[in-house]
């Protein structure tokens, strides 16, 4: 039977999902974080799912894009990326992407972050129509499971008093003992064998002590430290010297390609990034200066799964390793990450994922980690289905919000606990 893959309807559902009080160099996560769920429905009634950031600036682009897709085919992905999206670049001048902690938010990054969800939804619909998993549409899988790393955070035991929040079972992690206890719990629950600590929260000496404690608790296991550019070149080199014998790589210790190149020249260990290489235009300078040795891709702001594969091929040509960055995401995004990661031959580092921190999801069945890995689904499309009741509930939370949580702002969340808090000038140390 020939399927009609014409797009008959596009549904956009902004939601707010619970988020614990995880600390980073800009502040703390808010009690709820915005996400956008995209559903593309074909004339035959097949629904494809996508997910991306749900902040206002993303919704403002997603809505007119959705209106222009009716009547197109879900197979016309090149046409999708040819649609002109008017981005008011003046609103973005000098703006930092606080939610992603990935530097300046350009018009191109914003546009691709929106398009990525529509591309994934189209691929999901194609796969369901053809009876093929998404990885088959990307050339086929080269592994049956994708490894993920435990994502460790300094963390409060709860959100500030007066803030709306869901119950938090994790407790505080504010010193080396707390970080190790958190890592043990994540390993017990999900079987992770590598660990990444979000740094840039405390002075470098304290974070060095936490990584050392992890190395003692998990000897021989890969460790990473990511201060989100909070350090100077000098501090970055000192930390690299202190931890060079235990770190798999050091992620974005300092801001900007020139500074990263300076650190890379003297660090003696690989540097990874999801901040100074986030668009194709940034690759040439970073690679020719040998500023980074591992690129942490993110299909959201690289523009989807096909661009992620393209990025991996460029990295392979330059001898640069590739893995995956994660922001606060749900199961649709994790399923998409797993499908594309399954197709990348040179993926030798475990991928990042916030998913264990998310107590809520919009799927009928949560994705499960086994020995730190997620099995690659061979079911049609992404292999996941939406929980309509839960999607409606999380949308009601968004609709009933007064607007204060519809745009992620880690500094604003921190000011609830410390009214004097301002986003720190970089480098902090």
């Amino acid at each position: 039977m020939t399927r009609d893959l014409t797009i008959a309807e596009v549904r956009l559902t902004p939601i707010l999902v619970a988020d614990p009080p995880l600390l980073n160099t800009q502040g703390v996560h808010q009690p709820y974080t915005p996400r956008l769920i995209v559903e593309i429905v074909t004339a035959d009634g097949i629904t494809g799912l996508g997910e991306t950031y749900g902040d206002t600036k993303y919704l403002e682009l997603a809505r007119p894009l959705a209106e222009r897709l009716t009547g197109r085919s879900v197979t016309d992905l090149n046409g999708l990326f040819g649609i002109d999206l008017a981005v008011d670049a003046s609103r973005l001048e000098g703006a930092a992407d606080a939610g992603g902690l990935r530097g300046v938010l350009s018009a191109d990054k914003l546009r691709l972050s929106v398009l990525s969800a529509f591309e994934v939804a189209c691929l999901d619909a194609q796969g369901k129509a053809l009876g093929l998993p998404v990885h088959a549409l990307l050339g086929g899988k080269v592994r049956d499971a994708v490894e993920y790393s435990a994502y460790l955070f300094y963390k409060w035991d709860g959100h500030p008093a007066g803030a709306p929040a869901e119950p938090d079972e994790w407790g505080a992690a504010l010193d080396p003992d707390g970080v190790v206890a958190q890592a043990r719990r994540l390993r017990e629950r999900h079987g992770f064998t590598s660990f990444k600590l979000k740094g840039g929260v405390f002075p470098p000496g304290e974070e060095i002590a936490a990584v050392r404690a992890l190395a003692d608790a998990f000897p021989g296991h890969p460790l990473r430290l990511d201060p989100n550019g909070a350090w100077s070149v000098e501090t970055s080199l000192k930390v690299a010297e202190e931890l060079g014998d235990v770190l798999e790589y050091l992620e974005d210790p300092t801001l900007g390609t020139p500074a990263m190149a300076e650190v890379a020249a003297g660090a003696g260990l690989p540097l990874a990034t999801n901040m100074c290489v986030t668009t194709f235009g940034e690759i040439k300078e970073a690679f020719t200066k040998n500023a980074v040795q591992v690129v942490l891709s993110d299909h959201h702001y690289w523009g989807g799964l096909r661009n992620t594969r393209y990025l991996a091929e460029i990295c392979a040509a330059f001898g640069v390793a590739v893995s995956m960055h994660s922001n606060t995401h749900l199961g649709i995004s994790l399923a998409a990450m797993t499908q594309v990661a399954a197709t990348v031959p040179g993926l030798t580092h475990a991928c990042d994922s916030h998913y264990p921190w998310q107590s809520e999801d919009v799927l009928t069945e949560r994705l499960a980690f086994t020995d730190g890995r997620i099995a690659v689904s061979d079911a049609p499309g992404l292999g996941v289905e939406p929980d309509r009741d839960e999607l409606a509930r999380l949308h009601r939370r968004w609709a009933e919000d007064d607007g204060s949580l519809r745009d992620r702002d880690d500094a604003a969340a921190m000011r609830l606990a410390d009214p004097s808090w301002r986003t720190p000038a970089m480098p902090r140390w």
Side-chain angles (χ1 to χ4, degrees):
M1 181 181 70
T2 301
R3 290 284 194 179
D4 186 346
L5 298 182
T6 303
I7 297 173
E9 182 184 3
V10 180
R11 295 194 290 261
L12 304 180
T13 308
I15 61 176
L16 286 176
V17 295
D19 212 9
L22 308 177
L23 297 164
N24 57 54
T25 198
Q26 294 189 357
V28 65
H29 288 207
Q30 292 169 300
Y32 301 102
T33 195
R35 299 297 286 178
L36 173 63
I37 307 303
V38 174
E39 297 180 82
I40 289 180
V41 185
T42 70
D44 279 353
I46 295 171
T47 300
L49 300 174
E51 175 192 342
T52 190
Y53 306 105
D55 306 69
T56 303
K57 54 184 172 284
Y58 298 91
L59 287 174
E60 289 176 349
L61 286 189
R63 285 169 175 146
L65 175 60
E67 293 173 358
R68 297 170 66 176
L69 289 185
T70 303
R72 292 174 175 263
S73 172
V74 294
T75 64
D76 185 18
L77 298 180
N78 290 335
L80 169 66
F81 280 76
I83 295 175
D84 181 40
L85 292 179
V87 181
D88 184 358
S90 65
R91 293 181 56 194
L92 304 177
E93 290 179 4
D97 183 8
L101 291 165
R102 54 183 171 92
V104 174
L105 179 62
S106 69
D108 192 41
K109 288 178 186 177
L110 177 58
R111 172 180 169 273
L112 289 174
S113 296
V114 172
L115 284 167
S116 68
F118 288 83
E119 187 231 39
V120 169
C122 285
L123 287 169
D124 186 32
Q126 285 184 49
K128 289 173 178 174
L130 298 172
L132 295 172
V134 166
H135 66 71
L137 304 179
L138 299 174
K141 64 180 179 179
V142 296
R143 57 182 60 84
D144 292 322
V146 174
E147 184 180 4
Y148 288 87
S149 180
Y151 209 149
L152 310 178
F153 285 86
Y154 289 108
K155 179 185 174 298
W156 291 337
D157 61 0
H159 287 284
E166 302 305 304
D168 178 8
E169 61 170 323
W170 286 89
L174 297 170
D175 56 23
D177 287 344
V179 169
V180 169
Q182 187 184 100
R184 290 190 190 282
R185 191 169 182 183
L186 283 165
R187 183 179 181 181
E188 289 168 2
R189 287 190 174 190
H190 305 293
F192 295 120
T193 58
S194 67
F195 303 89
K196 168 179 168 174
L197 175 62
K198 176 67 73 178
V201 177
F202 296 114
E206 296 183 37
E207 298 183 353
I208 289 171
V211 173
R212 281 287 171 198
L214 287 169
D216 290 342
F218 305 98
H221 289 253
L223 304 177
R224 303 109 177 246
L225 176 59
D226 172 20
N228 281 122
W231 302 336
S232 66
V233 169
E234 180 182 12
T235 299
S236 300
L237 288 169
K238 290 173 66 175
V239 174
E241 182 179 4
E242 290 279 345
L243 295 176
D245 61 324
V246 295
L247 285 182
E248 177 185 16
Y249 58 68
L250 184 58
E251 180 180 341
D252 286 310
T254 193
L255 287 179
T257 293
M260 287 283 284
E262 193 174 346
V263 174
L269 79 164
L271 299 189
T273 188
N274 74 280
M275 295 179 75
C276 69
V277 180
T278 61
T279 65
F280 289 105
E282 294 167 329
I283 289 176
K284 181 178 180 180
E285 180 186 13
F287 286 11
T288 55
K289 290 184 175 180
N290 195 32
V292 298
Q293 290 72 53
V294 185
V295 170
L296 303 177
S297 65
D298 186 316
H299 75 271
H300 302 93
Y301 57 79
W302 282 93
L305 307 189
R306 298 184 311 153
N307 274 1
T308 299
R309 279 197 47 81
Y310 180 40
L311 169 65
E313 291 166 0
I314 295 174
C315 288
F318 280 87
V320 174
V322 65
S323 188
M324 288 191 178
H325 163 259
S326 166
N327 206 319
T328 305
H329 64 80
L330 301 179
I332 297 171
S333 284
L334 183 57
M337 290 172 65
T338 302
Q339 287 287 315
V340 69
T343 72
V344 177
L347 192 74
T348 56
H349 298 282
C351 301
D352 294 343
S353 177
H354 281 69
Y355 193 62
W357 291 107
Q358 309 316 134
S359 60
E360 299 175 321
D361 203 351
V362 295
L363 300 182
T364 55
E365 184 177 354
R366 285 182 66 92
L367 277 69
F369 296 92
T370 302
D371 296 328
R373 290 170 166 80
I374 291 184
V376 179
S377 171
D378 291 322
L382 294 175
V384 297
E385 294 298 331
D387 182 326
R388 294 290 170 193
D389 292 338
E390 193 65 2
L391 184 60
R393 184 181 73 85
L394 298 179
H395 175 64
R396 284 196 301 272
R397 181 187 287 159
W398 179 90
E400 293 167 0
D401 177 64
D402 62 6
S404 60
L405 295 173
R406 292 186 182 181
D407 293 287
R408 179 173 163 180
D409 189 338
D410 293 355
M414 180 65 86
R415 282 194 291 273
L416 293 177
D418 178 5
S420 67
W421 177 266
R422 294 295 180 269
T423 301
M426 297 295 180
R428 291 183 69 181
W429 293 282

